[in-house]
Amino acid sequence: MSVASLPRIAVLPSQVADQIAAGEVVERPSSVVKELVENALDAGATAIDVAVEDGGRQLIRVSDDGCGMSPDDALLSLERHATSKIRRAQDLVGVRSFGFRGEALAAICSVSQLELETAPEDGAGTYVRAAGGAVAENAAVARRRGTTVRVARLFYNAPARLKFLRGARSEWRAIVDVIGSMALTRRDVRVSLSHDGKPVLVLPATSSLRERLAAVYGASFASRLLEVDDVSGTTHVAGLVERPADVGTGTRRTFVSVNGRAVRDAGLVRAAEAAYKSTIPAGVRPTLFLDVVVAADMVDVNVHPAKAEVRFRDRWQVERALETAVRRALGTFEAGATFSRGWTFATHVASPPVSPPVSSIDSLHDLRATPPVPGGGLFGGEHMRESAGAEPGASPNAAPDVPALQQWRRTYIAFEHEHGVVLIDQHSAHERVLYEAFMRDLESGAASGQRLFFPLTLHLGLAEAEAFEQHRELFARLGFEIEGFGGTTLLVSAVPMPHPRFDAERCVRETLAALTGDRETGVHARHERLAATVACKAAIKAGEPLSPAEMRALFVALRDTTLPAHDVHGRATIVQLTWEEIERRFGRR
Ligand SMILES: Nc1ncnc2c1ncn2[C@@H]1O[C@H](COP(=O)(O)OP(=O)(O)OP(=O)(O)O)[C@@H](O)[C@H]1O
Ligand SMILES: [Mg+2]
């Protein structure tokens, strides 16, 4: 193109500018729903009714009982950059309302046939009709306080955009997601949703996330989630997360809000997921519903057209807070599986309206801070340092705060608690205890093992011998003294002694067999792998009788671990049956 024929610059007519802006804000029917619902929330609505037809492609109607608008404001609201929510650029810092740009209604209006009906408290009602951004009718009406916006034939004047709409089904699903996430963000608002004239969802207002989840996803789903509530520095994290024992058994759902705004933020989700490490198998991901509250000036909400992403001044701090909060929740005894899991009678019994928070044995986790008791025989060894170190000679029977324990089936340690009956799987529990002790040894230096009176000679396969060579130094840190005698023969002269019945030869053989072909290169991951493998092989097995002192020592050691309720493979270590549940089954409730 020659310079002479360069077209002149012209400022676009506002309708064209609005259509261009609409491309960013209004992607599909669900974005219209999101903007209208956010406006209703900003207007202080306590009830919002959403009705759509044909997946929102023909009609979207959002009604609220919020503050409404005066006749002048009703007209202004359709103009670009018309907002009541901020006045100056500074107001953007820490802005609390969902909207602040003053462009959503203008953008929607420019690509649809829009009707607006609104009235402030005791004020004059206004009706405005517009098409393609141009006002066609403006009249007074009588109506109660609040606002109704009808958006018909979205993209009727933008054929290129219309082509990109999906089928009604798919657009409808996106709308349901928007409403679901709004309903979780603002539990205090009553929400209803209908499709093609049929009511689909009615959510009463509530103050509790669990109740809202029960209304959205069902009471049994909601009642199984574990409560998170924790403050780190200036960051408050609260919500409900899946018990590790349940992860992978149903549809995975995640929801994160930051200062009351639902956000899509993979980094925050990953941080919360990191808390599950060593409690669930690799590859499965937990369900999470988390509200994050940070100081308003720590977060910039004006970085995404649909405000679905935020930017943090110190993201690392927020992510650590999330991980810590979730980890703390998983680190309680409550985090163990409950018997309601898989209970088939449940389907025949009318479910209670909305379950109260899962009854918990919460006084137990307070005990984790109490001084450890002297360990008894089986668990008094090197890897029970914390418990073995206290008051030599004191009788373990005098252990404070340890309930009366019984061994059942030579496999479970059972005890009664204020809120129910609790079972601990002795192998899983011991495995968890040893895993954490081995990890400390691997990460922090060397543990000393116990010399064997008669060193063991092991003849291995080639693969096992190679696995040993790869892990030689790490075995030493765990307290093993092993020499390779060339080729495939090993001489074991010292071993860690996690308990007197420890079968060192079998443990080394099985560990090496499990490690053959291990190509893990990350140092920490290698430590985890080895610690988990040795812990699994070294832990007492199901079927081994335990003395009362041994049970107490295991109980105390487990209580001191970071994740007592889960073993290294993500299976439950602790299972509880609440009195409430027992009473229900006996028909006492
Ligand atoms: N449902 C409603 N009830 C009362 N006032 C409303 C409602 N919807 C819109 N308004 C008024 O119209 C203005 C413009 O709305 P619009 O959504 O276009 O912009 P915004 O919400 O201010 O910012 P954003 O573009 O970020 O959403 C709002 O600032 C508000 O004053
Ligand atoms: Mg808005």
Side-chain angles (χ1 to χ4, degrees):
M1 187 187 293
S2 74
V3 174
S5 67
L6 250 187
R8 301 282 310 275
I9 294 178
V11 173
L12 291 172
S14 69
Q15 266 161 265
V16 180
D18 287 349
Q19 268 212 27
I20 292 173
E24 294 182 346
V25 180
V26 187
E27 210 187 318
R28 54 196 296 196
S30 62
S31 3
V32 173
V33 172
K34 174 174 188 286
E35 293 298 336
L36 297 182
V37 165
E38 288 188 349
N39 280 348
L41 292 171
D42 285 344
T46 64
I48 302 178
D49 298 309
V50 180
V52 308
E53 284 172 23
D54 189 32
R57 302 180 323 163
Q58 281 308 316
L59 184 79
I60 295 164
R61 193 186 68 227
V62 175
S63 306
D64 67 59
D65 63 352
C67 65
M69 287 178 266
S70 69
D72 290 348
D73 279 357
L75 271 180
L76 254 182
S77 72
L78 302 180
E79 305 252 334
R80 195 135 181 246
H81 305 308
T83 180
S84 57
K85 297 170 192 172
I86 60 169
R87 287 282 179 266
R88 308 162 306 169
Q90 297 95 292
D91 298 345
L92 268 178
V93 178
V95 62
R96 284 270 164 202
S97 53
F98 288 105
F100 48 75
R101 295 188 188 133
E103 64 184 8
L105 278 185
I108 295 166
C109 186
S110 72
V111 289
S112 69
Q113 298 172 353
L114 183 142
E115 287 169 283
L116 171 73
E117 211 186 86
T118 184
E121 186 88 62
D122 307 326
T126 309
Y127 170 82
V128 180
R129 183 165 60 82
V135 173
E137 193 183 339
N138 178 11
V141 289
R143 69 157 280 152
R144 61 177 168 77
R145 179 191 126 127
T147 302
T148 301
V149 180
R150 280 179 100 248
V151 174
R153 301 189 55 206
L154 183 66
F155 298 141
Y156 81 102
N157 57 348
R161 314 285 314 281
L162 193 58
K163 272 212 306 260
F164 280 96
L165 284 190
R166 308 263 190 84
R169 262 271 218 40
S170 163
E171 297 299 345
W172 164 248
R173 271 199 299 271
I175 290 171
V176 170
D177 285 349
V178 163
I179 296 295
S181 131
M182 184 277 281
L184 296 183
T185 325
R186 290 293 302 271
R187 281 95 70 174
D188 56 325
V189 174
R190 200 194 83 98
V191 185
S192 79
L193 175 65
S194 73
H195 192 213
D196 292 338
K198 287 185 286 291
V200 178
L201 198 64
V202 178
L203 305 174
T206 168
S207 57
S208 127
L209 172 61
R210 202 185 291 275
E211 277 185 26
R212 182 69 19 133
L213 283 171
V216 177
Y217 298 116
S220 82
F221 170 79
S223 71
R224 293 149 62 105
L225 301 173
L226 199 62
E227 202 151 317
V228 175
D229 194 346
D230 200 48
V231 177
S232 319
T234 56
T235 304
H236 182 193
V237 180
L240 293 167
V241 300
E242 204 167 16
R243 287 185 154 75
D246 289 341
V247 174
T249 58
T251 310
R252 169 172 186 258
R253 305 185 167 103
T254 60
F255 167 84
V256 179
S257 78
V258 173
N259 290 359
R261 205 180 282 278
V263 295
R264 283 197 308 258
D265 191 312
L268 296 187
V269 172
R270 262 199 308 276
E273 285 173 355
Y276 281 79
K277 205 162 66 176
S278 90
T279 73
I280 56 176
V284 295
R285 305 175 73 193
T287 282
L288 309 161
F289 301 94
L290 293 168
D291 295 326
V292 182
V293 176
V294 299
D297 60 351
M298 294 297 286
V299 57
D300 185 357
V301 296
N302 191 23
V303 296
H304 183 272
K307 308 184 190 83
E309 290 164 18
V310 294
R311 192 182 291 144
F312 294 100
R313 202 190 289 171
D314 183 355
R315 166 171 284 275
W316 189 86
Q317 193 270 334
V318 177
E319 290 184 352
R320 288 297 70 73
L322 263 162
E323 182 176 347
T324 308
V326 175
R327 186 156 272 264
R328 288 216 175 114
L330 301 182
T332 61
F333 270 35
E334 291 164 65
T338 68
F339 272 139
S340 38
R341 188 158 183 245
W343 178 35
T344 44
F345 279 359
T347 47
H348 304 297
V349 175
S351 57
V354 172
S355 309
V358 176
S359 123
S360 61
I361 47 173
D362 33 24
S363 48
L364 258 183
H365 52 194
D366 301 335
L367 305 180
R368 300 178 66 216
T370 63
V373 294
L378 187 48
F379 301 101
E382 174 64 15
H383 287 291
M384 293 286 164
R385 280 180 295 258
E386 296 86 343
S387 42
E391 302 173 55
S395 158
N397 298 333
D401 308 324
V402 176
L405 304 169
Q406 285 188 322
Q407 192 185 27
W408 289 357
R409 269 198 136 204
R410 296 189 169 179
T411 301
Y412 307 105
I413 299 171
F415 62 96
E416 176 189 326
H417 189 270
E418 191 191 339
H419 299 288
V421 182
V422 180
L423 294 183
I424 298 177
D425 180 301
Q426 64 188 42
H427 171 71
S428 300
H430 196 203
E431 203 176 28
R432 161 59 61 188
V433 169
L434 291 180
Y435 170 76
E436 295 197 3
F438 288 146
M439 274 308 281
R440 282 193 295 275
D441 293 341
L442 288 171
E443 307 254 286
S444 70
S448 55
Q450 198 144 320
R451 291 220 142 258
L452 294 173
F453 212 63
F454 300 107
L456 298 166
T457 307
L458 303 184
H459 301 287
L460 304 171
L462 267 179
E464 284 83 2
E466 195 198 316
F468 170 69
E469 284 307 323
Q470 274 178 6
H471 294 86
R472 179 192 277 272
E473 191 244 344
L474 297 183
F475 271 103
R477 287 201 210 176
L478 290 177
F480 287 96
E481 264 180 51
I482 307 181
E483 286 167 79
F485 266 90
T488 54
T489 304
L490 298 185
L491 189 73
V492 181
S493 49
V495 296
M497 198 47 85
H499 58 90
R501 278 169 251 161
F502 177 57
D503 183 342
E505 174 171 354
R506 190 166 156 199
C507 175
V508 173
R509 277 185 186 285
E510 291 183 355
T511 301
L512 289 176
L515 291 174
T516 57
D518 189 18
R519 291 280 168 264
E520 185 55 70
T521 50
V523 172
H524 187 72
R526 286 185 70 195
H527 290 176
E528 284 177 341
R529 178 83 199 276
L530 182 66
T533 312
V534 180
C536 175
K537 307 303 174 197
I540 47 151
K541 308 266 182 292
E544 296 198 41
L546 298 181
S547 73
E550 288 171 338
M551 284 191 274
R552 272 190 294 277
L554 179 55
F555 179 90
V556 170
L558 181 66
R559 199 168 59 184
D560 286 336
T561 60
T562 57
L563 292 164
H566 314 286
D567 79 2
V568 199
H569 315 287
R571 289 186 298 250
T573 294
I574 299 170
V575 157
Q576 43 177 316
L577 177 57
T578 60
W579 297 133
E580 201 184 305
E581 236 166 83
I582 293 174
E583 284 163 15
R584 234 192 331 261
R585 291 195 204 188
F586 281 114
R588 289 175 181 270
R589 275 182 182 246

